[in-house]
Amino acid sequence: MDSSLFLPLLVSCRLVLAIVPIPLINEFQHDHQLSSPLTSYPRLKEGLWLYQHDVDPYAGGVFRHSPLLLSLFSTVLPPLPVIWALCDIVGAWALLRIWRARQRVGKGSSGRDSLVAAVYLLNPYLLLPSLALSTSTFENTALLLTLMLASEGNRSPALLALAFTTHLSLSTFLLVVPVLMLLVSSPVSQLASPRPFAGNLMTACKYAGEFIAYWLVLIGAASIMAGGGWGWVRETWGASLTLPDLAPNPGLWWYFFTEMFDHFRPFFLMVFSVHLVIYILPICIKFQHDTLYVSFLLVGILGIFKAYLTLADPGLFLSMFVLFPEVYPYLRHPIVTTLLHTHASLLLPLFHALWVTEGRGNANFYYAASLVMGVAGGAGVVDACFAGMRIAIGDVVEGERGKWEVVQE
């Protein structure tokens, strides 16, 4: 098939999936692997009904979506499946633009364009949550738009998109530092020739002030107006830190805190939250020469340790692998990582059905599959870190080998 026709065909198929009724859509919407209490479509509908009947949706401890989504879907757009399909298409387009910025190629100048879009649109970890109408689709698209704008040097739109992304999902604060570094550096691959960070740190600090202004003043004020007060802060951002809803998910938090004694809970909540933060500085320092790769690795960290994890989180990390073909030859265990993800993707629905549907298992079954998913994500991040460091050594070795062959001749 002509590569120029493949991308429109992908887009058309995704729109058809949104229009044609899917028999299992109700099961998808209540599947713990595809949506969490913070991204669930049934909870979004409940919050919209309460909001439209002048009842505070944040008063009952059930609705945990952003007040901006509440305002958007109650006044501007109906929450129809086609909105999620268009959001997927925008996410694939943003990933494609990031690829072009990194490779310094123009529109239509690379035959890889269709592959980049296909990796996003056909990724089952991303497609199934989108079909379940999980709002994690909006979070991933907002994050890709942020990276796209930062890669293209559009400062103010990138900072505004970053503010919106962190508003939708507080855990994406991990990416604030690499995005600020990306704005004052280049997205072009520097993995093979590492050097100290060449960007202006003072300029990055000024951009940080602009980001805080957007996040607190613009996005924060709009959220207070839409939410009718400050109650949304506790139910949305606070939920990511205090874990009030222990619904099962593919992540590592819920089962641990189900078994936790109450008097130990605050301490371990602090430990789990700080644990996410400790990765920022080491990765930013080690890969300071390639800040887009830093963002990629931190997306992988979120895909393992996020409080309310869904398949969309590791799915974004796996799709972003397509941006870095230069590291493929240096991956140590790609087959092992692939098999781990395959194993986890089979175990999760199986053990979920045994425990929740059939009642023949227990929570240990499902958490065991979650651990396999965590190991798969960890294997991918560790392998990506190794390949990102090994590429520089490998290129040096190849260069010296070439010089030696010339001398021998």
Side-chain angles (χ1 to χ4, degrees):
M1 180 185 293
D2 188 354
S3 60
S4 63
L5 299 177
F6 185 64
L7 189 54
L9 179 62
L10 276 177
V11 172
S12 301
C13 290
R14 181 63 190 92
L15 290 173
V16 167
L17 284 175
I19 297 171
V20 175
I22 299 176
L24 297 177
I25 191 65
N26 288 331
E27 286 76 7
F28 284 173
Q29 291 175 3
H30 293 89
D31 195 317
H32 297 121
Q33 304 154 83
L34 307 181
S35 60
S36 70
L38 275 64
T39 63
S40 170
Y41 179 70
R43 297 198 183 202
L44 176 63
K45 288 199 301 182
E46 182 176 351
L48 289 172
W49 189 91
L50 293 172
Y51 185 73
Q52 291 166 354
H53 288 78
D54 297 325
V55 179
D56 184 5
Y58 297 103
V62 174
F63 183 73
R64 304 190 184 281
H65 294 73
S66 165
L68 296 185
L69 294 179
L70 186 70
S71 179
L72 175 68
F73 287 125
S74 63
T75 58
V76 181
L77 296 172
L80 298 175
V82 70
I83 303 299
W84 274 258
L86 292 174
C87 201
D88 275 341
I89 294 168
V90 171
W93 171 75
L95 190 68
L96 179 57
R97 292 281 293 270
I98 297 170
W99 157 257
R100 290 173 179 168
R102 185 168 177 83
Q103 301 298 325
R104 288 183 176 175
V105 296
K107 181 180 180 180
S109 61
S110 173
R112 197 181 177 89
D113 287 4
S114 298
L115 175 61
V116 173
V119 165
Y120 189 85
L121 290 174
L122 298 181
N123 186 340
Y125 283 3
L126 298 174
L127 178 60
L128 291 177
S130 182
L131 293 177
L133 306 184
S134 168
T135 55
S136 57
T137 300
F138 302 136
E139 297 172 7
N140 286 345
T141 299
L143 179 53
L144 288 175
L145 286 173
T146 300
L147 294 176
M148 179 198 79
L149 293 168
S151 298
E152 296 176 349
N154 298 316
R155 184 197 73 203
S156 292
L159 293 174
L160 182 59
L162 180 62
F164 184 70
T165 303
T166 53
H167 171 80
L168 288 180
S169 177
L170 187 64
S171 55
T172 52
F173 248 106
L174 270 68
L175 297 167
V176 170
V177 174
V179 168
L180 293 175
M181 294 172 66
L182 183 58
L183 281 170
V184 294
S185 60
S186 171
V188 178
S189 178
Q190 304 292 336
L191 294 173
S193 54
R195 57 179 62 91
F197 180 67
N200 191 323
L201 291 178
M202 290 302 298
T203 303
C205 291
K206 293 178 182 178
Y207 293 169
E210 185 176 347
F211 160 73
I212 293 173
Y214 282 141
W215 185 61
L216 289 180
V217 179
L218 189 60
I219 303 294
S223 299
I224 292 171
M225 292 172 62
W230 293 90
W232 62 271
V233 176
R234 181 184 65 257
E235 300 299 330
T236 57
W237 295 349
S240 298
L241 300 174
T242 59
L243 207 74
D245 195 323
L246 294 175
N249 59 72
L252 304 176
W253 286 47
W254 67 275
Y255 186 81
F256 187 85
F257 286 96
T258 299
E259 303 294 328
M260 176 66 59
F261 291 111
D262 287 342
H263 54 280
F264 290 128
R265 183 181 173 88
F267 171 75
F268 280 100
L269 281 172
M270 181 270 295
V271 171
F272 273 58
S273 299
V274 172
H275 174 254
L276 275 171
V277 178
I278 63 175
Y279 292 98
I280 301 175
L281 191 59
I283 293 178
C284 286
I285 292 175
K286 186 60 184 178
F287 293 98
Q288 58 186 287
H289 49 279
D290 197 326
T291 50
L292 186 60
Y293 203 72
V294 172
S295 302
F296 164 65
L297 294 176
L298 289 177
V299 168
I301 296 297
L302 279 177
I304 306 170
F305 299 113
K306 194 174 181 180
Y308 287 98
L309 191 77
T310 65
L311 292 182
D313 298 301
L316 180 60
F317 172 71
L318 294 176
S319 290
M320 287 183 68
F321 250 114
V322 76
L323 299 175
F324 311 101
E326 66 272 22
V327 305
Y328 295 169
Y330 301 97
L331 295 172
R332 296 186 67 183
H333 309 295
I335 296 178
V336 174
T337 304
T338 302
L339 291 176
L340 282 170
H341 273 287
T342 304
H343 192 58
S345 64
L346 294 174
L347 285 181
L348 280 169
L350 175 61
F351 287 165
H352 183 270
L354 284 174
W355 175 32
V356 177
T357 307
E358 301 293 333
R360 298 178 181 178
N362 55 43
N364 295 325
F365 284 52
Y366 188 68
Y367 190 62
S370 301
L371 291 176
V372 177
M373 176 62 76
V375 171
V381 172
V382 170
D383 214 0
C385 286
F386 175 84
M389 294 184 289
R390 181 69 177 80
I391 185 173
I393 302 173
D395 280 11
V396 170
V397 171
E398 290 297 328
E400 294 297 328
R401 185 181 300 168
K403 291 179 183 178
W404 176 249
E405 290 175 353
V406 170
V407 170
Q408 283 184 326
E409 291 175 358

